[in-house]
Amino acid sequence: MAFLLTKTSLASHFRSQPQVDPSSPSRRGFHVEPGTREKALLAEDPSLRRFRSHKKGVSRIKKIGDVLTIVVVAGCCYEIYVKATMREEARQAKAAREST
């Protein structure tokens, strides 16, 4: 019983959020606007446009993967269903043979 009490108190300890002093600076620091060099590096470069990933192609591949996953899961469920019904039919046939 004591183990359960210590376990629940331990779990509640991990669930509780630590109190943070609002006057202390955040751990991530302050936001600083990017300079001209950073802005130039982040600007779109027309010579690199052909190497950009195409969102339509990526979304199409994701959809194909999702459909294939659904088909495989449905096939597995169907196989399980067929095996279960065949086993049940075999049991019923065996019971019918034994009763006659």
Side-chain angles (χ1 to χ4, degrees), residues 22 26 30 54 59 84 86 99:
S26 67
F30 297 105
H54 300 283
S59 64
M86 290 179 69
S99 65

Side-chain angles (χ1 to χ4, degrees), residues 7 10 19 23 28 35 38-41 43 45 56 60 67-68 79 86 93 96-97 100:
K7 187 176 180 182
L10 184 64
Q19 298 295 328
S23 63
R28 296 181 65 187
E38 287 87 2
K39 286 182 181 178
L41 288 171
D45 190 0
K56 289 182 181 178
R60 187 176 300 140
V67 169
L68 285 175
E79 286 292 324
M86 290 179 69
R97 274 187 268 135
T100 57

Side-chain angles (χ1 to χ4, degrees), residues 43-52:
E44 187 173 331
D45 190 0
S47 63
L48 298 175
R49 186 170 290 153
R50 67 179 185 152
F51 298 109
R52 184 178 52 181

Side-chain angles (χ1 to χ4, degrees), residues 16-96:
S16 67
Q17 297 176 353
Q19 298 295 328
V20 178
D21 185 18
S23 63
S24 67
S26 67
R27 290 171 49 189
R28 296 181 65 187
F30 297 105
H31 176 71
V32 178
E33 287 294 323
T36 55
R37 183 171 185 264
E38 287 87 2
K39 286 182 181 178
L41 288 171
L42 293 172
E44 187 173 331
D45 190 0
S47 63
L48 298 175
R49 186 170 290 153
R50 67 179 185 152
F51 298 109
R52 184 178 52 181
S53 65
H54 300 283
K55 291 185 180 181
K56 289 182 181 178
V58 171
S59 64
R60 187 176 300 140
I61 290 173
K62 282 184 180 180
K63 285 181 184 177
I64 291 171
D66 292 342
V67 169
L68 285 175
T69 303
I70 291 170
V71 167
V72 168
V73 169
C76 292
C77 292
Y78 177 74
E79 286 292 324
I80 292 170
Y81 170 76
V82 167
K83 285 194 182 259
T85 54
M86 290 179 69
R87 186 175 293 163
E88 186 63 31
E89 288 174 0
R91 284 182 190 158
Q92 289 175 356
K94 184 178 180 182

